[in-house]
Amino acid sequence: MLLNIQKINRSFEGVAWFLIRRRWLFLLAFVVTIILSLYGSTLIRIDTSNENSFLAGDSINIQTDLFEEIFGNDQYIGILVENEKLFSYDKLSLLRELHEELVDSVPFLERVTSLNDLEFTVGTEYGMSIEQLIPAQIPRSQEEIDQIRERLFRKENLRRHLVSTDGSQTWVSVKFLPFPEGWQEETGENPQELAGKKVLSVIGQEKYQELNPRAAGMPIVNYEKRIYFEKESARVMGTAILIAILILALALRSFWGVLIPLFSAISSILIVYGVTGFLGVPIDNMVLTFPFLIGFA
C-alpha cells in the first residue's frame, strides 16, 4: 500500500497550527512540567543493595530472605590486618584499640570478632576451660606473647582461617544486625553504605596504618561504588553536553540550532528523572546516567 504523503503532511500541518494557536497554554504547561520535574528529581531514591538488582519474586531474593530470617543479616565486613611483627605487644595493643573503636563507632553492629576477643578452649584435669586467648592485660614480655602465638597455632582451623600460616596476617570480622527496611525515612542514607563508610573512616586513621588494614564486603563495595559513580556521573554528563554542543555547532552552524536541540534534550531527560522520583522506584546510581546519554544520543 502506497503512502499518501500529502495527507500525512496535512495532518502534521494541522497539529502544528493547533499548537501555535494555543502556544501560551502549551508553554505554560511545559513550564509547570519542568518545575514539577525539578522537584521530582530531588525525590529519586538511590539504592545500591543487591536486592535492587533482582525482581521481588526472584529465587535469589527469596533465599536471601530465608537466610536472614534464620541467621539475621547476611552482610559482613572483613578487615585484613597485616604486619610482620603482629605478635608483639605494640601491634596487639593497636589491634585491640582498633577492635574497641569499631565496637564503639560502627552503626547497626552485632559483633566484632578478632584475636582480641577470641575464646579459646583448653583441656584441664577437671574437663575443659574456656578463656580468652589474649588476656585483658596484654603481656609485655615477648616470651609470653610467643606462648600465645604457639597456643593459637595448635588449632589448625584458626591457623588456616583466622591467622595466616606465617603469623603476619589476621582477620577482623564485622557482623551487622538486620538493616532497617524503612531506612529512607529513618536515616536518610542506605544503612549498608553508612556502615561501610564508618568502617573505612575508622581503619583509615593514621594511627592504624602500621597494621595496613584493608576492608572488603558488600557494605564497603556499595559505599565505594556510590562515591565513584557520583564523581563519574558529573564527568560523563559534562562530557556529553560538550560533545553535543560541538557536533550541533559543526553540523548546523546556528546559535538556535545548538540551543533548541540542547534545551529539548535536557528538558526531556529532566522529565524522565522527575517521573522516576515521583514513582518512588529505587535505582542504582550506576544507571543514573543512562537517560542522559540516551537523550543526547
Side-chain angles (χ1 to χ4, degrees), residues 68 71-79 102 105-112 173-179 191-199 216-220:
E68 291 179 350
F71 300 105
N73 200 337
D74 67 332
Q75 298 296 328
Y76 285 81
I77 289 180
I79 304 171
L102 289 170
S105 304
V106 178
F108 313 109
L109 182 73
E110 181 175 332
R111 69 172 182 270
V112 176
S173 173
V174 182
K175 187 178 188 301
F176 297 98
L177 296 167
F179 294 131
Q192 284 193 38
E193 296 177 14
L194 193 61
K197 175 182 177 181
K198 191 59 185 177
V199 169
M218 289 312 300
I220 299 292

PDB file of all heavy atoms in Angstrom, residues 68 71-79 102 105-112 173-179 191-199 216-220:
ATOM      1  N   GLU A  68      18.198 -14.625  56.087  1.00  0.00           N
ATOM      2  CA  GLU A  68      18.137 -13.565  57.102  1.00  0.00           C
ATOM      3  C   GLU A  68      17.119 -13.894  58.189  1.00  0.00           C
ATOM      4  O   GLU A  68      17.305 -13.512  59.346  1.00  0.00           O
ATOM      5  CB  GLU A  68      17.785 -12.237  56.430  1.00  0.00           C
ATOM      6  CG  GLU A  68      18.906 -11.712  55.531  1.00  0.00           C
ATOM      7  CD  GLU A  68      18.542 -10.415  54.866  1.00  0.00           C
ATOM      8  OE1 GLU A  68      17.351 -10.019  54.944  1.00  0.00           O
ATOM      9  OE2 GLU A  68      19.428  -9.780  54.255  1.00  0.00           O
ATOM     10  N   PHE A  71      19.272 -16.639  60.226  1.00  0.00           N
ATOM     11  CA  PHE A  71      20.571 -16.254  60.780  1.00  0.00           C
ATOM     12  C   PHE A  71      20.721 -14.751  61.014  1.00  0.00           C
ATOM     13  O   PHE A  71      21.743 -14.319  61.552  1.00  0.00           O
ATOM     14  CB  PHE A  71      21.697 -16.715  59.844  1.00  0.00           C
ATOM     15  CG  PHE A  71      21.726 -18.202  59.634  1.00  0.00           C
ATOM     16  CD1 PHE A  71      21.272 -18.758  58.442  1.00  0.00           C
ATOM     17  CD2 PHE A  71      22.203 -19.043  60.624  1.00  0.00           C
ATOM     18  CE1 PHE A  71      21.294 -20.127  58.239  1.00  0.00           C
ATOM     19  CE2 PHE A  71      22.248 -20.412  60.424  1.00  0.00           C
ATOM     20  CZ  PHE A  71      21.776 -20.963  59.232  1.00  0.00           C
ATOM     21  N   GLY A  72      19.751 -13.945  60.626  1.00  0.00           N
ATOM     22  CA  GLY A  72      19.911 -12.500  60.742  1.00  0.00           C
ATOM     23  C   GLY A  72      20.538 -11.921  59.488  1.00  0.00           C
ATOM     24  O   GLY A  72      20.450 -12.501  58.404  1.00  0.00           O
ATOM     25  N   ASN A  73      21.202 -10.798  59.636  1.00  0.00           N
ATOM     26  CA  ASN A  73      21.796 -10.112  58.491  1.00  0.00           C
ATOM     27  C   ASN A  73      22.887 -10.964  57.846  1.00  0.00           C
ATOM     28  O   ASN A  73      23.705 -11.577  58.541  1.00  0.00           O
ATOM     29  CB  ASN A  73      22.384  -8.772  58.957  1.00  0.00           C
ATOM     30  CG  ASN A  73      22.581  -7.803  57.802  1.00  0.00           C
ATOM     31  OD1 ASN A  73      22.697  -8.202  56.658  1.00  0.00           O
ATOM     32  ND2 ASN A  73      22.625  -6.526  58.126  1.00  0.00           N
ATOM     33  N   ASP A  74      22.898 -10.983  56.507  1.00  0.00           N
ATOM     34  CA  ASP A  74      23.918 -11.750  55.793  1.00  0.00           C
ATOM     35  C   ASP A  74      25.097 -10.877  55.360  1.00  0.00           C
ATOM     36  O   ASP A  74      25.971 -11.328  54.627  1.00  0.00           O
ATOM     37  CB  ASP A  74      23.310 -12.437  54.567  1.00  0.00           C
ATOM     38  CG  ASP A  74      22.864 -11.446  53.500  1.00  0.00           C
ATOM     39  OD1 ASP A  74      22.518 -10.302  53.872  1.00  0.00           O
ATOM     40  OD2 ASP A  74      22.839 -11.814  52.312  1.00  0.00           O
ATOM     41  N   GLN A  75      25.110  -9.620  55.804  1.00  0.00           N
ATOM     42  CA  GLN A  75      26.166  -8.700  55.403  1.00  0.00           C
ATOM     43  C   GLN A  75      27.295  -8.671  56.436  1.00  0.00           C
ATOM     44  O   GLN A  75      27.054  -8.488  57.629  1.00  0.00           O
ATOM     45  CB  GLN A  75      25.605  -7.283  55.236  1.00  0.00           C
ATOM     46  CG  GLN A  75      24.538  -7.169  54.157  1.00  0.00           C
ATOM     47  CD  GLN A  75      25.093  -7.477  52.776  1.00  0.00           C
ATOM     48  OE1 GLN A  75      26.252  -7.217  52.484  1.00  0.00           O
ATOM     49  NE2 GLN A  75      24.259  -8.048  51.925  1.00  0.00           N
ATOM     50  N   TYR A  76      28.488  -8.870  55.965  1.00  0.00           N
ATOM     51  CA  TYR A  76      29.691  -8.818  56.804  1.00  0.00           C
ATOM     52  C   TYR A  76      30.695  -7.845  56.187  1.00  0.00           C
ATOM     53  O   TYR A  76      30.613  -7.518  54.995  1.00  0.00           O
ATOM     54  CB  TYR A  76      30.370 -10.188  56.884  1.00  0.00           C
ATOM     55  CG  TYR A  76      29.686 -11.208  57.754  1.00  0.00           C
ATOM     56  CD1 TYR A  76      28.604 -11.941  57.290  1.00  0.00           C
ATOM     57  CD2 TYR A  76      30.143 -11.463  59.046  1.00  0.00           C
ATOM     58  CE1 TYR A  76      27.983 -12.894  58.080  1.00  0.00           C
ATOM     59  CE2 TYR A  76      29.534 -12.417  59.845  1.00  0.00           C
ATOM     60  CZ  TYR A  76      28.451 -13.127  59.355  1.00  0.00           C
ATOM     61  OH  TYR A  76      27.842 -14.067  60.153  1.00  0.00           O
ATOM     62  N   ILE A  77      31.614  -7.416  57.014  1.00  0.00           N
ATOM     63  CA  ILE A  77      32.805  -6.722  56.519  1.00  0.00           C
ATOM     64  C   ILE A  77      34.010  -7.450  57.092  1.00  0.00           C
ATOM     65  O   ILE A  77      34.083  -7.709  58.297  1.00  0.00           O
ATOM     66  CB  ILE A  77      32.835  -5.241  56.937  1.00  0.00           C
ATOM     67  CG1 ILE A  77      31.773  -4.449  56.168  1.00  0.00           C
ATOM     68  CG2 ILE A  77      34.212  -4.630  56.665  1.00  0.00           C
ATOM     69  CD1 ILE A  77      31.726  -2.977  56.526  1.00  0.00           C
ATOM     70  N   GLY A  78      34.926  -7.810  56.222  1.00  0.00           N
ATOM     71  CA  GLY A  78      36.178  -8.438  56.658  1.00  0.00           C
ATOM     72  C   GLY A  78      37.315  -7.442  56.535  1.00  0.00           C
ATOM     73  O   GLY A  78      37.490  -6.821  55.480  1.00  0.00           O
ATOM     74  N   ILE A  79      38.072  -7.262  57.604  1.00  0.00           N
ATOM     75  CA  ILE A  79      39.211  -6.340  57.605  1.00  0.00           C
ATOM     76  C   ILE A  79      40.485  -7.169  57.740  1.00  0.00           C
ATOM     77  O   ILE A  79      40.681  -7.852  58.752  1.00  0.00           O
ATOM     78  CB  ILE A  79      39.113  -5.323  58.755  1.00  0.00           C
ATOM     79  CG1 ILE A  79      37.794  -4.550  58.678  1.00  0.00           C
ATOM     80  CG2 ILE A  79      40.292  -4.366  58.725  1.00  0.00           C
ATOM     81  CD1 ILE A  79      37.527  -3.685  59.894  1.00  0.00           C
ATOM     82  N   LEU A 102      35.916   0.030  66.611  1.00  0.00           N
ATOM     83  CA  LEU A 102      34.877  -0.485  65.717  1.00  0.00           C
ATOM     84  C   LEU A 102      33.599  -0.769  66.504  1.00  0.00           C
ATOM     85  O   LEU A 102      32.491  -0.433  66.061  1.00  0.00           O
ATOM     86  CB  LEU A 102      35.354  -1.755  65.011  1.00  0.00           C
ATOM     87  CG  LEU A 102      36.427  -1.581  63.935  1.00  0.00           C
ATOM     88  CD1 LEU A 102      36.975  -2.943  63.503  1.00  0.00           C
ATOM     89  CD2 LEU A 102      35.881  -0.825  62.720  1.00  0.00           C
ATOM     90  N   SER A 105      31.956   2.608  67.376  1.00  0.00           N
ATOM     91  CA  SER A 105      31.657   3.596  66.325  1.00  0.00           C
ATOM     92  C   SER A 105      30.730   3.115  65.221  1.00  0.00           C
ATOM     93  O   SER A 105      29.971   3.913  64.671  1.00  0.00           O
ATOM     94  CB  SER A 105      32.975   4.071  65.681  1.00  0.00           C
ATOM     95  OG  SER A 105      33.858   4.575  66.642  1.00  0.00           O
ATOM     96  N   VAL A 106      30.789   1.842  64.864  1.00  0.00           N
ATOM     97  CA  VAL A 106      30.084   1.367  63.675  1.00  0.00           C
ATOM     98  C   VAL A 106      28.596   1.169  63.974  1.00  0.00           C
ATOM     99  O   VAL A 106      28.247   0.485  64.945  1.00  0.00           O
ATOM    100  CB  VAL A 106      30.703   0.043  63.166  1.00  0.00           C
ATOM    101  CG1 VAL A 106      29.936  -0.480  61.958  1.00  0.00           C
ATOM    102  CG2 VAL A 106      32.169   0.262  62.811  1.00  0.00           C
ATOM    103  N   PRO A 107      27.701   1.737  63.160  1.00  0.00           N
ATOM    104  CA  PRO A 107      26.258   1.565  63.388  1.00  0.00           C
ATOM    105  C   PRO A 107      25.768   0.192  62.938  1.00  0.00           C
ATOM    106  O   PRO A 107      26.420  -0.481  62.136  1.00  0.00           O
ATOM    107  CB  PRO A 107      25.646   2.670  62.521  1.00  0.00           C
ATOM    108  CG  PRO A 107      26.631   2.873  61.414  1.00  0.00           C
ATOM    109  CD  PRO A 107      27.989   2.624  62.028  1.00  0.00           C
ATOM    110  N   PHE A 108      24.621  -0.209  63.476  1.00  0.00           N
ATOM    111  CA  PHE A 108      23.957  -1.482  63.136  1.00  0.00           C
ATOM    112  C   PHE A 108      24.851  -2.686  63.445  1.00  0.00           C
ATOM    113  O   PHE A 108      24.712  -3.751  62.839  1.00  0.00           O
ATOM    114  CB  PHE A 108      23.545  -1.521  61.665  1.00  0.00           C
ATOM    115  CG  PHE A 108      22.842  -0.303  61.179  1.00  0.00           C
ATOM    116  CD1 PHE A 108      23.463   0.578  60.303  1.00  0.00           C
ATOM    117  CD2 PHE A 108      21.555  -0.009  61.605  1.00  0.00           C
ATOM    118  CE1 PHE A 108      22.817   1.715  59.856  1.00  0.00           C
ATOM    119  CE2 PHE A 108      20.907   1.131  61.168  1.00  0.00           C
ATOM    120  CZ  PHE A 108      21.528   1.993  60.291  1.00  0.00           C
ATOM    121  N   LEU A 109      25.753  -2.524  64.397  1.00  0.00           N
ATOM    122  CA  LEU A 109      26.736  -3.569  64.681  1.00  0.00           C
ATOM    123  C   LEU A 109      26.148  -4.652  65.584  1.00  0.00           C
ATOM    124  O   LEU A 109      25.471  -4.356  66.560  1.00  0.00           O
ATOM    125  CB  LEU A 109      27.960  -2.942  65.363  1.00  0.00           C
ATOM    126  CG  LEU A 109      29.108  -3.897  65.685  1.00  0.00           C
ATOM    127  CD1 LEU A 109      29.835  -4.294  64.413  1.00  0.00           C
ATOM    128  CD2 LEU A 109      30.076  -3.235  66.659  1.00  0.00           C
ATOM    129  N   GLU A 110      26.406  -5.909  65.228  1.00  0.00           N
ATOM    130  CA  GLU A 110      26.059  -7.021  66.118  1.00  0.00           C
ATOM    131  C   GLU A 110      27.270  -7.460  66.921  1.00  0.00           C
ATOM    132  O   GLU A 110      27.211  -7.578  68.136  1.00  0.00           O
ATOM    133  CB  GLU A 110      25.498  -8.201  65.322  1.00  0.00           C
ATOM    134  CG  GLU A 110      25.112  -9.369  66.209  1.00  0.00           C
ATOM    135  CD  GLU A 110      24.443 -10.497  65.444  1.00  0.00           C
ATOM    136  OE1 GLU A 110      23.805 -10.231  64.397  1.00  0.00           O
ATOM    137  OE2 GLU A 110      24.559 -11.654  65.887  1.00  0.00           O
ATOM    138  N   ARG A 111      28.381  -7.696  66.228  1.00  0.00           N
ATOM    139  CA  ARG A 111      29.602  -8.061  66.953  1.00  0.00           C
ATOM    140  C   ARG A 111      30.823  -7.896  66.055  1.00  0.00           C
ATOM    141  O   ARG A 111      30.717  -7.875  64.823  1.00  0.00           O
ATOM    142  CB  ARG A 111      29.526  -9.501  67.464  1.00  0.00           C
ATOM    143  CG  ARG A 111      29.574 -10.570  66.395  1.00  0.00           C
ATOM    144  CD  ARG A 111      29.696 -11.968  66.988  1.00  0.00           C
ATOM    145  NE  ARG A 111      29.783 -12.985  65.968  1.00  0.00           N
ATOM    146  CZ  ARG A 111      28.738 -13.622  65.435  1.00  0.00           C
ATOM    147  NH1 ARG A 111      27.511 -13.318  65.834  1.00  0.00           N
ATOM    148  NH2 ARG A 111      28.913 -14.549  64.515  1.00  0.00           N
ATOM    149  N   VAL A 112      31.961  -7.772  66.718  1.00  0.00           N
ATOM    150  CA  VAL A 112      33.256  -7.745  66.039  1.00  0.00           C
ATOM    151  C   VAL A 112      34.053  -8.936  66.545  1.00  0.00           C
ATOM    152  O   VAL A 112      34.134  -9.169  67.762  1.00  0.00           O
ATOM    153  CB  VAL A 112      34.025  -6.436  66.323  1.00  0.00           C
ATOM    154  CG1 VAL A 112      35.402  -6.479  65.673  1.00  0.00           C
ATOM    155  CG2 VAL A 112      33.245  -5.232  65.814  1.00  0.00           C
ATOM    156  N   SER A 173      36.506  -9.541  61.765  1.00  0.00           N
ATOM    157  CA  SER A 173      35.198  -9.737  61.144  1.00  0.00           C
ATOM    158  C   SER A 173      34.162  -8.831  61.816  1.00  0.00           C
ATOM    159  O   SER A 173      34.063  -8.804  63.048  1.00  0.00           O
ATOM    160  CB  SER A 173      34.772 -11.205  61.261  1.00  0.00           C
ATOM    161  OG  SER A 173      33.443 -11.371  60.802  1.00  0.00           O
ATOM    162  N   VAL A 174      33.402  -8.112  60.996  1.00  0.00           N
ATOM    163  CA  VAL A 174      32.357  -7.208  61.497  1.00  0.00           C
ATOM    164  C   VAL A 174      31.010  -7.733  61.013  1.00  0.00           C
ATOM    165  O   VAL A 174      30.762  -7.797  59.804  1.00  0.00           O
ATOM    166  CB  VAL A 174      32.575  -5.762  61.005  1.00  0.00           C
ATOM    167  CG1 VAL A 174      31.510  -4.836  61.579  1.00  0.00           C
ATOM    168  CG2 VAL A 174      33.969  -5.274  61.371  1.00  0.00           C
ATOM    169  N   LYS A 175      30.137  -8.141  61.944  1.00  0.00           N
ATOM    170  CA  LYS A 175      28.816  -8.657  61.606  1.00  0.00           C
ATOM    171  C   LYS A 175      27.767  -7.633  62.038  1.00  0.00           C
ATOM    172  O   LYS A 175      27.893  -6.996  63.078  1.00  0.00           O
ATOM    173  CB  LYS A 175      28.538  -9.992  62.289  1.00  0.00           C
ATOM    174  CG  LYS A 175      27.240 -10.653  61.835  1.00  0.00           C
ATOM    175  CD  LYS A 175      27.030 -11.996  62.507  1.00  0.00           C
ATOM    176  CE  LYS A 175      25.833 -12.735  61.907  1.00  0.00           C
ATOM    177  NZ  LYS A 175      24.581 -11.964  62.021  1.00  0.00           N
ATOM    178  N   PHE A 176      26.703  -7.510  61.213  1.00  0.00           N
ATOM    179  CA  PHE A 176      25.703  -6.474  61.438  1.00  0.00           C
ATOM    180  C   PHE A 176      24.354  -7.053  61.839  1.00  0.00           C
ATOM    181  O   PHE A 176      24.014  -8.190  61.487  1.00  0.00           O
ATOM    182  CB  PHE A 176      25.525  -5.625  60.175  1.00  0.00           C
ATOM    183  CG  PHE A 176      26.766  -4.891  59.779  1.00  0.00           C
ATOM    184  CD1 PHE A 176      27.605  -5.393  58.789  1.00  0.00           C
ATOM    185  CD2 PHE A 176      27.113  -3.708  60.403  1.00  0.00           C
ATOM    186  CE1 PHE A 176      28.756  -4.726  58.434  1.00  0.00           C
ATOM    187  CE2 PHE A 176      28.266  -3.033  60.050  1.00  0.00           C
ATOM    188  CZ  PHE A 176      29.091  -3.536  59.067  1.00  0.00           C
ATOM    189  N   LEU A 177      23.600  -6.239  62.559  1.00  0.00           N
ATOM    190  CA  LEU A 177      22.198  -6.536  62.834  1.00  0.00           C
ATOM    191  C   LEU A 177      21.396  -6.336  61.553  1.00  0.00           C
ATOM    192  O   LEU A 177      21.886  -5.702  60.604  1.00  0.00           O
ATOM    193  CB  LEU A 177      21.666  -5.599  63.926  1.00  0.00           C
ATOM    194  CG  LEU A 177      22.320  -5.728  65.310  1.00  0.00           C
ATOM    195  CD1 LEU A 177      21.920  -4.537  66.179  1.00  0.00           C
ATOM    196  CD2 LEU A 177      21.918  -7.030  65.977  1.00  0.00           C
ATOM    197  N   PRO A 178      20.175  -6.873  61.459  1.00  0.00           N
ATOM    198  CA  PRO A 178      19.353  -6.626  60.270  1.00  0.00           C
ATOM    199  C   PRO A 178      19.184  -5.127  60.035  1.00  0.00           C
ATOM    200  O   PRO A 178      18.847  -4.373  60.956  1.00  0.00           O
ATOM    201  CB  PRO A 178      18.022  -7.300  60.616  1.00  0.00           C
ATOM    202  CG  PRO A 178      18.384  -8.373  61.590  1.00  0.00           C
ATOM    203  CD  PRO A 178      19.518  -7.816  62.397  1.00  0.00           C
ATOM    204  N   PHE A 179      19.442  -4.688  58.806  1.00  0.00           N
ATOM    205  CA  PHE A 179      19.296  -3.279  58.483  1.00  0.00           C
ATOM    206  C   PHE A 179      17.820  -2.896  58.441  1.00  0.00           C
ATOM    207  O   PHE A 179      16.988  -3.685  57.990  1.00  0.00           O
ATOM    208  CB  PHE A 179      19.935  -2.974  57.124  1.00  0.00           C
ATOM    209  CG  PHE A 179      21.434  -3.146  57.121  1.00  0.00           C
ATOM    210  CD1 PHE A 179      22.055  -3.877  56.115  1.00  0.00           C
ATOM    211  CD2 PHE A 179      22.213  -2.577  58.111  1.00  0.00           C
ATOM    212  CE1 PHE A 179      23.424  -4.029  56.092  1.00  0.00           C
ATOM    213  CE2 PHE A 179      23.595  -2.727  58.099  1.00  0.00           C
ATOM    214  CZ  PHE A 179      24.199  -3.453  57.101  1.00  0.00           C
ATOM    215  N   PRO A 191      21.678   2.066  54.948  1.00  0.00           N
ATOM    216  CA  PRO A 191      22.427   1.574  56.118  1.00  0.00           C
ATOM    217  C   PRO A 191      23.674   0.781  55.742  1.00  0.00           C
ATOM    218  O   PRO A 191      24.674   0.819  56.474  1.00  0.00           O
ATOM    219  CB  PRO A 191      21.404   0.699  56.855  1.00  0.00           C
ATOM    220  CG  PRO A 191      20.337   0.398  55.862  1.00  0.00           C
ATOM    221  CD  PRO A 191      20.295   1.562  54.931  1.00  0.00           C
ATOM    222  N   GLN A 192      23.633   0.063  54.616  1.00  0.00           N
ATOM    223  CA  GLN A 192      24.839  -0.644  54.178  1.00  0.00           C
ATOM    224  C   GLN A 192      25.962   0.338  53.902  1.00  0.00           C
ATOM    225  O   GLN A 192      27.099   0.155  54.341  1.00  0.00           O
ATOM    226  CB  GLN A 192      24.548  -1.449  52.905  1.00  0.00           C
ATOM    227  CG  GLN A 192      23.779  -2.728  53.123  1.00  0.00           C
ATOM    228  CD  GLN A 192      23.811  -3.609  51.884  1.00  0.00           C
ATOM    229  OE1 GLN A 192      24.827  -3.694  51.206  1.00  0.00           O
ATOM    230  NE2 GLN A 192      22.711  -4.256  51.586  1.00  0.00           N
ATOM    231  N   GLU A 193      25.630   1.405  53.159  1.00  0.00           N
ATOM    232  CA  GLU A 193      26.637   2.404  52.828  1.00  0.00           C
ATOM    233  C   GLU A 193      27.110   3.140  54.079  1.00  0.00           C
ATOM    234  O   GLU A 193      28.296   3.459  54.223  1.00  0.00           O
ATOM    235  CB  GLU A 193      26.075   3.400  51.816  1.00  0.00           C
ATOM    236  CG  GLU A 193      25.723   2.778  50.479  1.00  0.00           C
ATOM    237  CD  GLU A 193      25.097   3.780  49.531  1.00  0.00           C
ATOM    238  OE1 GLU A 193      25.182   4.990  49.827  1.00  0.00           O
ATOM    239  OE2 GLU A 193      24.524   3.374  48.517  1.00  0.00           O
ATOM    240  N   LEU A 194      26.179   3.407  54.998  1.00  0.00           N
ATOM    241  CA  LEU A 194      26.523   4.093  56.244  1.00  0.00           C
ATOM    242  C   LEU A 194      27.508   3.259  57.054  1.00  0.00           C
ATOM    243  O   LEU A 194      28.496   3.786  57.599  1.00  0.00           O
ATOM    244  CB  LEU A 194      25.254   4.354  57.051  1.00  0.00           C
ATOM    245  CG  LEU A 194      25.356   5.314  58.234  1.00  0.00           C
ATOM    246  CD1 LEU A 194      25.778   6.699  57.767  1.00  0.00           C
ATOM    247  CD2 LEU A 194      24.019   5.392  58.964  1.00  0.00           C
ATOM    248  N   ALA A 195      27.262   1.941  57.127  1.00  0.00           N
ATOM    249  CA  ALA A 195      28.162   1.047  57.857  1.00  0.00           C
ATOM    250  C   ALA A 195      29.525   0.967  57.181  1.00  0.00           C
ATOM    251  O   ALA A 195      30.574   1.043  57.842  1.00  0.00           O
ATOM    252  CB  ALA A 195      27.532  -0.339  57.961  1.00  0.00           C
ATOM    253  N   GLY A 196      29.520   0.813  55.850  1.00  0.00           N
ATOM    254  CA  GLY A 196      30.789   0.749  55.109  1.00  0.00           C
ATOM    255  C   GLY A 196      31.592   2.032  55.238  1.00  0.00           C
ATOM    256  O   GLY A 196      32.817   2.001  55.401  1.00  0.00           O
ATOM    257  N   LYS A 197      30.888   3.166  55.185  1.00  0.00           N
ATOM    258  CA  LYS A 197      31.554   4.469  55.311  1.00  0.00           C
ATOM    259  C   LYS A 197      32.246   4.604  56.663  1.00  0.00           C
ATOM    260  O   LYS A 197      33.385   5.073  56.754  1.00  0.00           O
ATOM    261  CB  LYS A 197      30.520   5.577  55.123  1.00  0.00           C
ATOM    262  CG  LYS A 197      31.032   6.978  55.338  1.00  0.00           C
ATOM    263  CD  LYS A 197      29.896   7.975  55.166  1.00  0.00           C
ATOM    264  CE  LYS A 197      30.356   9.402  55.437  1.00  0.00           C
ATOM    265  NZ  LYS A 197      29.234  10.367  55.289  1.00  0.00           N
ATOM    266  N   LYS A 198      31.560   4.169  57.727  1.00  0.00           N
ATOM    267  CA  LYS A 198      32.127   4.306  59.077  1.00  0.00           C
ATOM    268  C   LYS A 198      33.328   3.394  59.272  1.00  0.00           C
ATOM    269  O   LYS A 198      34.338   3.792  59.875  1.00  0.00           O
ATOM    270  CB  LYS A 198      31.054   4.003  60.130  1.00  0.00           C
ATOM    271  CG  LYS A 198      31.485   4.368  61.542  1.00  0.00           C
ATOM    272  CD  LYS A 198      31.821   5.852  61.635  1.00  0.00           C
ATOM    273  CE  LYS A 198      32.361   6.216  62.998  1.00  0.00           C
ATOM    274  NZ  LYS A 198      32.745   7.645  63.075  1.00  0.00           N
ATOM    275  N   VAL A 199      33.237   2.169  58.775  1.00  0.00           N
ATOM    276  CA  VAL A 199      34.370   1.244  58.898  1.00  0.00           C
ATOM    277  C   VAL A 199      35.596   1.809  58.179  1.00  0.00           C
ATOM    278  O   VAL A 199      36.710   1.784  58.708  1.00  0.00           O
ATOM    279  CB  VAL A 199      34.000  -0.151  58.341  1.00  0.00           C
ATOM    280  CG1 VAL A 199      35.248  -1.024  58.219  1.00  0.00           C
ATOM    281  CG2 VAL A 199      32.986  -0.833  59.249  1.00  0.00           C
ATOM    282  N   ALA A 216      36.888  -5.410  53.067  1.00  0.00           N
ATOM    283  CA  ALA A 216      36.123  -5.963  51.955  1.00  0.00           C
ATOM    284  C   ALA A 216      34.747  -6.354  52.470  1.00  0.00           C
ATOM    285  O   ALA A 216      34.543  -6.540  53.671  1.00  0.00           O
ATOM    286  CB  ALA A 216      36.839  -7.180  51.359  1.00  0.00           C
ATOM    287  N   GLY A 217      33.804  -6.474  51.546  1.00  0.00           N
ATOM    288  CA  GLY A 217      32.433  -6.814  51.911  1.00  0.00           C
ATOM    289  C   GLY A 217      31.461  -5.907  51.167  1.00  0.00           C
ATOM    290  O   GLY A 217      31.826  -4.821  50.711  1.00  0.00           O
ATOM    291  N   MET A 218      30.204  -6.333  51.042  1.00  0.00           N
ATOM    292  CA  MET A 218      29.232  -5.571  50.264  1.00  0.00           C
ATOM    293  C   MET A 218      28.993  -4.172  50.805  1.00  0.00           C
ATOM    294  O   MET A 218      28.828  -3.230  50.005  1.00  0.00           O
ATOM    295  CB  MET A 218      27.918  -6.343  50.169  1.00  0.00           C
ATOM    296  CG  MET A 218      27.991  -7.585  49.281  1.00  0.00           C
ATOM    297  SD  MET A 218      28.764  -7.278  47.662  1.00  0.00           S
ATOM    298  CE  MET A 218      27.670  -6.022  46.981  1.00  0.00           C
ATOM    299  N   PRO A 219      28.947  -3.927  52.128  1.00  0.00           N
ATOM    300  CA  PRO A 219      28.798  -2.537  52.581  1.00  0.00           C
ATOM    301  C   PRO A 219      29.933  -1.639  52.085  1.00  0.00           C
ATOM    302  O   PRO A 219      29.704  -0.473  51.760  1.00  0.00           O
ATOM    303  CB  PRO A 219      28.818  -2.672  54.110  1.00  0.00           C
ATOM    304  CG  PRO A 219      28.282  -4.038  54.377  1.00  0.00           C
ATOM    305  CD  PRO A 219      28.837  -4.880  53.270  1.00  0.00           C
ATOM    306  N   ILE A 220      31.146  -2.181  52.022  1.00  0.00           N
ATOM    307  CA  ILE A 220      32.278  -1.409  51.513  1.00  0.00           C
ATOM    308  C   ILE A 220      32.116  -1.180  50.012  1.00  0.00           C
ATOM    309  O   ILE A 220      32.280  -0.048  49.516  1.00  0.00           O
ATOM    310  CB  ILE A 220      33.606  -2.145  51.789  1.00  0.00           C
ATOM    311  CG1 ILE A 220      33.821  -2.335  53.296  1.00  0.00           C
ATOM    312  CG2 ILE A 220      34.776  -1.398  51.160  1.00  0.00           C
ATOM    313  CD1 ILE A 220      34.060  -1.067  54.059  1.00  0.00           C
TER     314      ILE A 220
END
